[in-house]
Amino acid sequence: MFAKRLIQKAVHRHQHHEKGLLASEDLKLRINLHYGVPSTASILAFDSIQRLLAIGTLDGRIKVIGGDNIEGLLISPKLVPYKYLEFLQNQGFLVSITNDNDIQVWNLQMRSIACSFQWESNVTAFSVISGSSFMYVGDEYGFTSVLKYDSDSGELLKLHYQLSSDSLAEAIGFSISNRQPIVGLLPQPCSSGNRLLIAYESGLIILWDVVEAHVVIVRGDKVLQLKNRVVPPNDIDTNIQDDEPSHDLEKEISALCWVSADGSILAVGYIDGDILFWNTSKDSSVGGQETRSSSNVVRLQLSSAEKRLPIIVLHWLDDSKSCHCQGGQLLVYGGDEIGCEEVVTVLSLEWSSGIEAVRCIGRVDLTLTGSFADMILIPSAGTTGSDANVSLFVLSNPGRIHIYDRGSLSSSDLQSREELPISAISFPAGIPTVDPLMTVAELFLIHGTIEGIEPKASFYATCAFPIAAMVWPANKKWPLTGGVSNHISFGKDKKVQRLYVAGYQDGSVRIWDATYPVLSLLCILTNEVYSEDLVDSGASLTSVELCSSTLRLAVGSECGLVQLYNLCSSNGTSFHFVTETKREVRSSSQVQGPRCEAVLYFHKSGVQALKFTSSGLKLIIGYECSRIAVIDVHSFSVAFITESISNSPVISVLWKTFAYEMAKSTESVQKIPDNSTGEHIFILTKDASIYVTDSCGMIISRPVQLKKSTAISLHVIESQAASLRSVDDKQSPKDGELKNEFSQSGAQGSEKCEAEEHSLDKIPSAQSLKESFVLLCCNDSLRIYPAKSVVQGESKSIYKVKLPKPCCWTTIFKKDEKVCGLVVFYQTGVMEIRSLPDLELVKEFSFMSDLRWNFKSNMERMISSTENGHIVLANGSEVAFISLLVGENDFRIPESLPNLHDEVLEAAANAAISVSSDSKRKQGGNLGILGGIVKGFRGRRSDRPTYHDSNSKSNFDHLEEIFMTDPFPESSTTTDEQGAAELTIDDIVIDEPVPLVSTSSHEVKNKDKDQKSEREKLFDDGADVKPRLRTREEIIATYRKAGDASSVAGQARNKLLERQEKLERISRQTEDLRNGAEDFASLANELVKAMENRKWYHI
């Protein structure tokens, strides 16, 4: 008898202890989507042609934001802050430099690092020649180097061109302090990249001519007499008084920018809070005999206090109406008294008779909502090159962007609002989490074809999105329009497969179509129910639940209100108002979008849990006061409402239907309560107690309780054998379905229970009670019980795991239609994946290393998941969609990801700009229609030509040749190169090669000619060639021909005629090319107009 019991016990243990189906190689964390500005955002960059905004962070991430809800996240392998961030304009690449001086080039199309270059010293200045692939890098030792990104080879090349402080000191005629870091590198406007301004930390400023390789201007190198301009804290002061002349010692530069479109005036901010305006239009002698006159520089101070903040950032908005009266707005961060409120100061300045006459006509301080991080000027989309349409984007911590319209910063507007603060527009979030505050969110799978919502999805999207259009001024276009959606990759029959539903503190609900990698806002549900019975109808939402088969949405609030919406119906102006004692129909106002079908109000206690049954016919509501209510959704009647079952709040409810086996002994029958009907409600309270009731609300057994634990979640799962049979039944259905073998006893059949009874042959999801398990997740442990034991009130677990640290959220997921894994999320930001049912640890992920997130309080309420391993997390202003399984790819990544770089726009812009440059050279600067196209691409650039006007790579060929050589070669090398480059008119080749001679000098000359193009040979590079004296042997070798003098003359005449014919032929080809270019420009203009308001289905 004893041996028999041991054998039965061993068999029982073998039946329950199953091995998990999940392996480490089955798991891989992938970030499918990311929305929102990271809280660690620190630096901004903008591509004015592609209309993309890049945001660098302190943790190695870069956020890229375009239009139509297109966003991308680039994650560096290094968790290091970025100190420089620049686009290679209209080329699809983004250059970033980290604090450890790693120069990274990002491929926006591939969303990955194309190449990186570790700089050997500390990078202290960085600049990109706009429209090119050339970059200037300044370091702590005073070296200026040139880098080029070669997109063909995917390499970042360091070119030979390099400027040292010693070489520049020799050029200007006096010494420069050793190891002076370069703090600023600015290409001069109107120079097409030919001139570069170099600023040293000690205050020395040098304007360098790259082509001529000489110093143009030297400023800030000597003690100068300055005129002080103190701008008072009041908004307006047109009569700025001059202080006594003062002598300045060397001042450390902290910021600088050009304050004129032609690059004639430079604003420099210093570490002591001063701002100096330097006149760079006057040439200074290289020998250091510069006139120390105050006409070259003017001092500006924002405060007269002795101790002031350093000038951190300077930006300039040009507002010059003519060449005789110049002016604009200077945007300054810093310069105020230490300890004052943190603001961005906007100064309206103008001068007419020289920089010494500069005066301030307006001042306003923009108050920040957090600590300052960065600011940038961004033109509105579709502008024609005027600064009037520029907006100011101010980035503050934590990850907040406020936008100021240029109209509110103009001088006339400043004078009219001396006492009124300027209001800012908050950057619109694709998924709002802070404004309004998100309190609960869930991701739902939609099974099968939902015909009701899909035709309405486009209607909802048109009336509710884009958000930016609702907050942006009516006469302006939203400036971020970049990127191209790839919805077309899903085919013509696009179906709504996933919905993301978020509830907010103001009582509103937002629903997104999460089928594609670009979320589409379907509708916004606002609480439009007004009644004397519902004084708290706008309370914060605490729970949302969606039935995927009927598309009914249940929303619960902290005041106990539950609203039912039908997402497939938008008609009707009435709703059912249901309480515990009455049910009536009330009228409501007509609203766009899904209508509210019913409002359920049974108790003032907060709603903690909502759950539809598998058929969607009943809704279970769990309250904070531990009461349970079950509603018949079809008739909006109350099935039952229990009294408080515990002193602890309800946190989870489940409705399960089980198929029982026929009892084989009297003993086993007695263990199962007589009032069991096969349908059970599992209720989990916060004190880790599990209650089980029947379909009528009667508790059928004593609760399963754990002491000193806090419950997290409750799940009912099938055994592996039952899962395999379930999959086999789906693949080959049989006529015999599971049926309920328990009779529906009439002893407990009340009127509420008789309202609707369903046999198990109508519910194919019925599980076997014997082959089911109950998973209880607590903050300190995980336990698995047999479902039969829980129903009988027995608290004997078959699996138990003690967690090493506090847990805050859990979920289960399936693989191949079988529940196989458990996700455990800890408060430390670590996520564990455990196999089921053995609870063995399979893999571990860290959100700090993968998402760069830290855990925040109440974050678990904004975490949701689906059964196939998709998890959505909200943290601060960020929302991330991740997946866990290797083989799962419902989002079809990467082919369905939106393109962050528009190649069609790139080609059209390059063609228009190239043709515009040719026309400008021919027409003497008259841009015409093509110039308007270029301005439309460029945005805020003024109608005066700047170095941004040339974006074709061919316009920088001359710079590439210069950058490939050393700007300071040895004199002997220079002489040899100049001698080898000399050409004469006899070097022009028409149809036959020039006879070779044995002299070494002529061999060098022929080698140089072979490297030239046909056009260069014909026009001789357009250079001024000096004649040189040739030897008798060279003349004889060139002109000696066979025959007499008459035959030689005839050959010369024939060659002249042939050359004339060739020139005429080239002229005709040039005219044909010009006509073709104009035709292509016209086509590009039409393409630009067609692409301005493009959508994904237009491409």
Side-chain angles (χ1 to χ4, degrees):
M1 185 67 180
F2 181 72
K4 184 177 180 180
R5 287 181 176 272
L6 287 178
I7 293 174
Q8 290 177 350
K9 188 175 182 180
V11 171
H12 178 76
R13 181 175 300 176
H14 176 73
Q15 290 176 349
H16 285 292
H17 286 70
E18 301 177 354
K19 188 177 181 180
L21 301 175
L22 199 62
S24 177
E25 53 270 16
D26 298 330
L27 300 171
K28 181 181 179 181
L29 190 145
R30 182 176 62 240
I31 303 174
N32 297 322
L33 299 175
H34 182 276
Y35 279 94
V37 179
S39 59
T40 56
S42 60
I43 188 171
L44 302 173
F46 182 68
D47 190 327
S48 58
I49 296 181
Q50 291 288 328
R51 319 297 302 176
L52 292 172
L53 177 68
I55 307 171
T57 66
L58 299 175
D59 50 30
R61 294 180 296 166
I62 299 176
K63 181 70 183 194
V64 181
I65 302 177
D68 295 332
N69 233 16
I70 295 176
E71 299 186 15
L73 183 67
L74 312 177
I75 302 179
S76 171
K78 299 180 180 180
L79 204 154
V80 183
Y82 289 107
K83 58 182 178 181
Y84 298 105
L85 190 66
E86 291 284 346
F87 278 98
L88 297 183
Q89 295 285 326
N90 197 35
Q91 300 179 48
F93 297 99
L94 180 67
V95 184
S96 60
I97 302 181
T98 62
N99 273 6
D100 60 359
N101 304 299
D102 186 20
I103 304 177
Q104 302 169 345
V105 179
W106 294 86
N107 187 328
L108 298 181
Q109 197 76 7
M110 304 301 297
R111 302 191 181 205
S112 62
I113 296 178
C115 66
S116 62
F117 191 99
Q118 183 64 49
W119 203 255
E120 60 274 9
S121 57
N122 184 30
V123 177
T124 55
F126 178 73
S127 179
V128 175
I129 300 179
S130 183
S132 74
S133 301
F134 297 109
M135 295 157 262
Y136 290 115
V137 177
D139 64 15
E140 58 183 333
Y141 300 116
F143 287 95
T144 301
S145 305
V146 178
L147 295 179
K148 177 190 176 183
Y149 177 68
D150 188 352
S151 58
D152 295 331
S153 62
E155 296 180 352
L156 193 60
L157 307 176
K158 184 177 181 181
L159 305 183
H160 297 290
Y161 197 91
Q162 189 177 64
L163 301 174
S164 65
S165 56
D166 293 337
S167 59
L168 291 177
E170 183 179 351
I172 62 180
F174 54 84
S175 62
I176 301 176
S177 303
N178 293 331
R179 296 181 178 273
Q180 277 298 318
I182 296 175
V183 295
L185 293 171
L186 293 180
Q188 187 183 31
C190 296
S191 68
S192 299
N194 294 337
R195 287 186 175 184
L196 173 67
L197 185 130
I198 305 172
Y200 290 89
E201 185 182 55
S202 61
L204 177 63
I205 301 171
I206 297 175
L207 184 60
W208 175 258
D209 193 304
V210 176
V211 177
E212 301 296 334
H214 70 85
V215 174
V216 180
I217 292 294
V218 178
R219 293 288 185 261
D221 58 312
K222 300 292 182 182
V223 178
L224 296 175
Q225 290 184 347
L226 306 177
K227 289 186 178 180
N228 292 337
R229 300 287 193 258
V230 180
V231 180
N234 298 328
D235 288 349
I236 306 295
D237 186 0
T238 57
N239 299 317
I240 301 176
Q241 298 179 355
D242 294 344
D243 293 344
E244 293 295 329
S246 61
H247 295 272
D248 278 333
L249 300 176
E250 288 188 349
K251 299 159 65 72
E252 290 188 13
I253 295 177
S254 55
L256 68 164
C257 73
W258 296 106
V259 294
S260 60
D262 57 357
S264 60
I265 300 177
L266 179 72
V268 182
Y270 294 87
I271 199 170
D272 61 356
D274 284 350
I275 301 175
L276 299 187
F277 287 83
W278 292 94
N279 189 347
T280 60
S281 61
K282 299 180 180 179
D283 293 338
S284 61
S285 61
V286 178
Q289 301 297 325
E290 179 185 358
T291 303
R292 298 180 182 88
S293 171
S294 61
S295 61
N296 280 338
V297 60
V298 172
R299 185 210 306 266
L300 188 68
Q301 293 180 344
L302 300 184
S303 173
S304 58
E306 182 179 355
K307 294 183 178 181
R308 289 165 291 153
L309 295 170
I311 302 296
I312 306 299
V313 181
L314 289 174
H315 284 296
W316 176 253
L317 273 173
D318 190 69
D319 196 22
S320 300
K321 301 177 177 58
S322 67
C323 60
H324 301 290
C325 183
Q326 300 184 27
Q329 280 77 44
L330 182 65
L331 311 176
V332 186
Y333 174 70
D336 278 325
E337 183 180 1
I338 294 178
C340 67
E341 186 180 12
E342 198 170 358
V343 296
V344 172
T345 303
V346 182
L347 301 176
S348 289
L349 307 175
E350 71 173 18
W351 60 92
S352 56
S353 58
I355 190 176
E356 62 277 3
V358 63
R359 63 194 189 99
C360 177
I361 61 174
R363 167 176 175 165
V364 68
D365 292 332
L366 308 178
T367 305
L368 303 178
T369 57
S371 59
F372 177 85
D374 196 12
M375 63 181 176
I376 192 173
L377 298 171
I378 294 182
S380 299
T383 55
T384 58
S386 173
D387 276 356
N389 295 305
V390 173
S391 300
L392 174 64
F393 281 52
V394 179
L395 174 64
S396 59
N397 295 316
R400 298 174 181 173
I401 298 179
H402 290 88
I403 308 170
Y404 298 88
D405 182 34
R406 170 65 192 274
S408 62
L409 303 179
S410 63
S411 57
S412 58
D413 201 61
L414 291 179
Q415 296 180 20
S416 63
R417 48 166 76 212
E418 297 184 16
E419 303 296 334
L420 298 178
I422 296 180
S423 59
I425 299 173
S426 297
F427 189 86
I431 301 179
T433 58
V434 177
D435 186 19
L437 181 64
M438 181 187 292
T439 54
V440 63
E442 293 288 342
L443 179 66
F444 299 102
L445 289 178
I446 306 300
H447 301 288
T449 302
I450 308 299
E451 298 179 356
I453 195 173
E454 285 164 2
K456 301 182 190 310
S458 59
F459 167 74
Y460 293 151
T462 349
C463 65
F465 197 78
I467 300 178
M470 296 190 293
V471 299
W472 201 242
N475 58 341
K476 301 290 180 65
K477 293 185 179 180
W478 179 242
L480 305 181
T481 60
V484 181
S485 298
N486 276 339
H487 288 185
I488 194 170
S489 63
F490 283 78
K492 293 185 178 179
D493 1 323
K494 301 183 292 292
K495 304 295 182 182
V496 177
Q497 300 174 5
R498 283 177 294 272
L499 291 179
Y500 184 60
V501 182
Y504 292 87
Q505 193 176 43
D506 60 0
S508 63
V509 179
R510 285 168 171 80
I511 304 176
W512 288 270
D513 178 4
T515 305
Y516 314 110
V518 177
L519 266 63
S520 301
L521 182 63
L522 297 180
C523 57
I524 301 177
L525 307 178
T526 56
N527 198 337
E528 299 294 342
V529 179
Y530 299 100
S531 173
E532 63 277 2
D533 303 312
L534 305 175
V535 293
D536 297 327
S537 59
S540 175
L541 300 184
T542 56
S543 182
V544 293
E545 172 68 2
L546 178 71
C547 179
S548 61
S549 58
T550 63
L551 276 186
R552 277 193 170 92
L553 177 67
V555 179
S557 68
E558 63 181 5
C559 68
L561 197 71
V562 177
Q563 299 182 69
L564 287 177
Y565 293 91
N566 189 344
L567 300 186
C568 294
S569 174
S570 59
N571 298 324
T573 57
S574 62
F575 66 95
H576 294 267
F577 181 71
V578 183
T579 65
E580 192 172 356
T581 57
K582 65 179 179 180
R583 182 183 64 181
E584 59 187 17
V585 178
R586 296 185 178 181
S587 61
S588 62
S589 58
Q590 181 71 35
V591 295
Q592 289 184 337
R595 69 182 182 92
C596 179
E597 288 187 319
V599 176
L600 314 175
Y601 194 49
F602 304 125
H603 201 277
K604 292 184 178 181
S605 179
V607 177
Q608 295 295 307
L610 293 171
K611 196 69 178 180
F612 282 102
T613 61
S614 57
S615 61
L617 298 178
K618 290 184 180 180
L619 173 66
I620 311 171
I621 307 173
Y623 291 93
E624 189 175 5
C625 63
S626 72
R627 298 183 67 183
I628 301 295
V630 176
I631 311 301
D632 188 318
V633 178
H634 181 70
S635 60
F636 302 115
S637 60
V638 181
F640 65 85
I641 300 178
T642 68
E643 297 297 328
S644 296
I645 60 176
S646 172
N647 294 327
S648 182
V650 173
I651 63 172
S652 180
V653 291
L654 294 173
W655 180 292
K656 288 294 179 181
T657 304
F658 295 104
Y660 293 100
E661 296 180 354
M662 291 297 295
K664 296 183 179 180
S665 63
T666 307
E667 182 182 0
S668 62
V669 171
Q670 293 176 354
K671 289 184 179 180
I672 300 176
D674 295 336
N675 60 354
S676 298
T677 62
E679 296 179 339
H680 299 294
I681 300 176
F682 291 82
I683 306 165
L684 177 65
T685 57
K686 193 173 183 179
D687 61 357
S689 299
I690 304 176
Y691 296 84
V692 182
T693 70
D694 59 11
S695 57
C696 299
M698 301 293 296
I699 297 178
I700 60 178
S701 64
R702 64 180 182 179
V704 175
Q705 293 180 328
L706 292 180
K707 296 181 179 180
K708 298 181 180 181
S709 294
T710 302
I712 301 298
S713 62
L714 184 71
H715 308 277
V716 177
I717 58 178
E718 288 182 314
S719 65
Q720 295 180 12
S723 299
L724 291 173
R725 283 197 299 271
S726 176
V727 173
D728 293 339
D729 292 341
K730 289 181 180 180
Q731 293 176 351
S732 55
K734 299 179 181 180
D735 296 336
E737 302 288 345
L738 293 174
K739 294 186 178 180
N740 188 3
E741 298 180 4
F742 274 85
S743 60
Q744 307 294 330
S745 58
Q748 295 81 18
S750 62
E751 292 180 359
K752 294 180 181 179
C753 297
E754 293 174 356
E756 187 173 324
E757 294 182 355
H758 301 280
S759 60
L760 294 181
D761 58 347
K762 297 181 181 180
I763 307 176
S765 61
Q767 303 174 6
S768 170
L769 181 66
K770 186 178 180 181
E771 295 179 335
S772 300
F773 301 103
V774 175
L775 170 62
L776 173 62
C777 302
C778 299
N779 65 329
D780 56 357
S781 64
L782 306 172
R783 298 172 186 264
I784 292 184
Y785 303 91
K788 187 175 180 180
S789 300
V790 175
V791 172
Q792 294 173 352
E794 299 177 358
S795 58
K796 186 177 181 180
S797 62
I798 58 175
Y799 295 99
K800 177 182 176 181
V801 172
K802 187 175 181 180
L803 299 178
K805 39 191 174 287
C807 162
C808 63
W809 183 83
T810 62
T811 189
I812 59 176
F813 61 91
K814 293 182 178 181
K815 175 189 173 185
D816 300 330
E817 300 296 330
K818 293 174 287 187
V819 176
C820 63
L822 171 68
V823 180
V824 182
F825 187 33
Y826 294 100
Q827 294 180 3
T828 58
V830 175
M831 183 175 66
E832 285 183 352
I833 311 297
R834 295 181 176 269
S835 62
L836 290 176
D838 57 358
L839 298 178
E840 291 292 329
L841 179 62
V842 179
K843 206 164 187 177
E844 187 177 275
F845 299 101
S846 172
F847 284 106
M848 174 54 68
S849 59
D850 295 317
L851 276 171
R852 315 289 163 87
W853 282 6
N854 289 318
F855 178 82
K856 295 184 178 180
S857 58
N858 297 324
M859 182 177 169
E860 62 274 7
R861 297 197 66 88
M862 272 71 74
I863 306 177
S864 59
S865 65
T866 59
E867 62 183 16
N868 59 347
H870 286 287
I871 300 177
V872 184
L873 309 98
N875 183 27
S877 300
E878 302 178 66
V879 178
F881 288 65
I882 65 174
S883 59
L884 300 176
L885 293 174
V886 172
E888 194 283 323
N889 194 11
D890 288 350
F891 282 106
R892 302 184 189 179
I893 292 175
E895 58 269 14
S896 65
L897 282 174
N899 297 324
L900 297 179
H901 179 68
D902 191 343
E903 294 180 343
V904 177
L905 178 59
E906 177 190 3
N910 285 339
I913 293 172
S914 177
V915 176
S916 175
S917 300
D918 294 340
S919 301
K920 183 171 61 177
R921 286 193 297 267
K922 296 171 187 176
Q923 300 173 9
N926 184 14
L927 299 181
I929 298 177
L930 291 175
I933 300 175
V934 179
K935 289 178 180 180
F937 285 132
R938 285 299 178 188
R940 72 177 186 89
R941 299 303 168 193
S942 64
D943 54 0
R944 290 180 293 274
T946 67
Y947 69 97
H948 291 280
D949 288 338
S950 299
N951 195 47
S952 178
K953 294 182 180 180
S954 61
N955 293 331
F956 299 97
D957 290 342
H958 68 290
L959 289 181
E960 184 167 7
E961 295 178 3
I962 295 172
F963 290 150
M964 293 302 293
T965 60
D966 190 345
F968 299 101
E970 297 181 359
S971 58
S972 60
T973 307
T974 306
T975 304
D976 294 340
E977 291 178 355
Q978 289 177 352
E982 291 181 357
L983 295 174
T984 65
I985 193 171
D986 298 310
D987 294 323
I988 299 176
V989 179
I990 301 299
D991 288 325
E992 63 184 24
V994 176
L996 298 178
V997 296
S998 59
T999 57
S1000 59
S1001 62
H1002 208 75
E1003 290 175 359
V1004 174
K1005 182 168 60 177
N1006 283 331
K1007 181 179 180 180
D1008 185 75
K1009 288 189 302 179
D1010 293 338
Q1011 296 176 353
K1012 293 181 176 292
S1013 64
E1014 181 178 345
R1015 181 180 181 86
E1016 290 172 333
K1017 291 176 182 178
L1018 182 61
F1019 293 99
D1020 199 20
D1021 293 333
D1024 295 334
V1025 180
K1026 297 180 179 180
R1028 68 182 181 88
L1029 186 62
R1030 291 185 292 173
T1031 63
R1032 176 176 178 273
E1033 289 77 15
E1034 290 177 342
I1035 297 174
I1036 293 175
T1038 304
Y1039 295 103
R1040 183 173 56 193
K1041 302 290 181 180
D1044 56 4
S1046 61
S1047 62
V1048 173
Q1051 291 178 6
R1053 184 177 60 254
N1054 293 335
K1055 282 189 174 293
L1056 289 174
L1057 294 175
E1058 290 172 0
R1059 189 164 101 171
Q1060 182 179 0
E1061 292 175 358
K1062 187 170 185 178
L1063 290 174
E1064 292 175 355
R1065 185 168 64 254
I1066 292 175
S1067 178
R1068 290 194 300 270
Q1069 293 176 351
T1070 303
E1071 186 65 24
D1072 294 338
L1073 287 175
R1074 182 186 297 110
N1075 295 334
E1078 292 176 354
D1079 293 339
F1080 189 83
S1082 176
L1083 178 62
N1085 189 16
E1086 297 177 359
L1087 179 60
V1088 168
K1089 293 180 179 179
M1091 295 290 290
E1092 279 186 350
N1093 298 319
R1094 75 195 189 288
K1095 296 295 181 180
W1096 61 267
Y1097 48 81
H1098 289 155
I1099 301 176

